[in-house]
Amino acid sequence: MKAVPVVALSRRGGLVPRVWRRDVAAVLIPEERLARRVRALARRIQKDYQGRDLVLVALLSGTLVFLADLIRHLTLPLRLDFIGVSSYGAGTVPGRLVFTKELKLDVAGRDVLVVDDILDTGRTLRRVLEKLEALRPRSLRVCVLLEKKGRRVEPVKADYVGFEIPDLFVVGYGLDYAERYRHLPFVGVLHPQLLDGAEVVETERGSARNGPAARHSAGRTARRV
Ligand code: PRP
C-alpha cells in the first residue's frame, strides 16, 4: 500500500467554520481530504477482497461517519456487524474497557475486516482482536481512519490506515469529546482549554464551558494537546 499521509497541524487554523471557532482550534483534516482518502482506502479494500464474502466489523461509536462513507464505495458482497466497546463505562476508571455490544454474526471461517476510527494506545483493538481471533475467522485485518504512531502500548498494527496524525486531541468525523462533536464534517483539534476539567455545553452560537465536571474517557484524556 502507498505511504500513509502524515498530517501536520497547520499554524493558520483559519479554516474552522465560524460556528465551531470557540470549540475547535484548527481543522486538522478537511472534509474534501477525508473524502479523497476514504475513497482510496475503499479502492484498496475492494481490490484485496475481490471475490470474497467479507464480514466488516465496526467498533461503536466513533466509526459511524467513516464507516458510512467507506462502505458506500464498496461493491463487494459484504455483511456488517458491530462491537460496542468503550474505554470508559458508567464509571471513570482509567483504561477500563467495557463491551456494550457483542457480535451477532458467526465469523468462523470468514474474512473479517475490523474498522475503527483511531488507533492510539492499541488497548481497544488488542482486546477486540483477541476476541475475534478466538472465533477462528479465515482472515482478520484492521482498517483505521487515524493512527498516532508514538502512543502504542500494545503491539497492534493496522493493515489500512487513512492518516497518521500528531498527538493532539481530535474530534469530528465520528470522534467525540464527552460524546459531543461527532457530527463535525472535518477532523479538528479541540481547544485545549475545553479539556481543562470544564464541561462543554453547546449553544446555538457554539459552546461554552460550564463548571468543573467534565467527563473524560481515559483514552481520550490521554490524547490531550
Ligand atoms: C476511542 C476510539 C478507539 C479507541 C482508541 O474509543 O474509538 O476505539 O478509543 O484508543 P486506544 O487505541 O487507546 O484503545 P472510545 O473508547 O473513546 O469510544 P467511542 O468510539 O465510543 O468514542
Side-chain angles (χ1 to χ4, degrees), residues 16-26 181 189-195 200-210:
V16 180
R18 195 183 180 82
V19 69
W20 293 113
R21 280 191 198 148
R22 291 172 66 185
D23 309 72
V24 175
Y181 307 114
V189 181
L190 198 67
H191 266 307
Q193 64 264 34
L194 293 181
L195 290 164
V200 181
V201 176
E202 279 175 309
T203 67
E204 274 182 24
R205 299 186 52 222
S207 67
R209 285 177 289 157
N210 182 31

Side-chain angles (χ1 to χ4, degrees), residues 17-218:
R18 195 183 180 82
V19 69
W20 293 113
R21 280 191 198 148
R22 291 172 66 185
D23 309 72
V24 175
V27 172
L28 190 64
I29 314 175
E31 224 175 318
E32 309 71 38
R33 194 166 176 202
L34 284 164
R36 278 200 304 275
R37 185 64 186 153
V38 171
R39 204 178 310 122
L41 284 178
R43 269 201 297 270
R44 186 74 211 175
I45 291 167
Q46 179 82 25
K47 191 163 160 259
D48 289 354
Y49 287 94
Q50 207 56 255
R52 314 255 197 101
D53 185 11
L54 182 62
V55 177
L56 214 147
V57 174
L59 306 194
L60 298 171
S61 306
T63 46
L64 83 161
V65 184
F66 173 41
L67 179 75
D69 285 347
L70 184 77
I71 58 174
R72 283 179 294 171
H73 291 297
L74 297 174
T75 55
L76 292 163
L78 71 79
R79 287 176 297 157
L80 197 55
D81 204 347
F82 298 89
I83 291 181
V85 58
S86 186
S87 51
Y88 67 104
T92 53
V93 184
R96 191 168 153 246
L97 279 182
V98 178
F99 283 86
T100 55
K101 188 199 168 295
E102 300 292 340
L103 271 189
K104 273 199 313 201
L105 295 177
D106 179 5
V107 297
R110 299 291 172 189
D111 291 302
V112 174
L113 178 63
V114 179
V115 178
D116 203 2
D117 53 347
I118 186 165
L119 173 53
D120 187 3
T121 65
R123 287 194 184 103
T124 305
L125 273 169
R126 170 80 182 188
R127 284 281 304 279
V128 168
L129 292 173
E130 276 170 9
K131 248 175 182 289
L132 289 169
E133 267 158 17
L135 301 172
R136 307 239 171 251
R138 176 170 183 254
S139 69
L140 184 56
R141 286 187 182 170
V142 173
C143 172
V144 294
L145 177 70
L146 308 174
E147 86 161 323
K148 289 181 180 175
K149 274 249 167 87
R151 303 232 338 127
R152 214 77 77 250
V153 299
E154 296 285 352
V156 175
K157 276 192 167 177
D159 303 277
Y160 305 92
V161 178
F163 300 94
E164 188 188 324
I165 62 164
D167 188 17
L168 301 166
F169 194 103
V170 288
V171 294
Y173 201 69
L175 288 104
D176 74 311
Y177 171 58
E179 294 304 327
R180 296 187 186 275
Y181 307 114
R182 292 197 198 273
H183 58 310
L184 271 55
F186 53 85
V187 173
V189 181
L190 198 67
H191 266 307
Q193 64 264 34
L194 293 181
L195 290 164
D196 286 340
E199 190 173 350
V200 181
V201 176
E202 279 175 309
T203 67
E204 274 182 24
R205 299 186 52 222
S207 67
R209 285 177 289 157
N210 182 31
R215 213 173 102 221
H216 293 276
S217 75

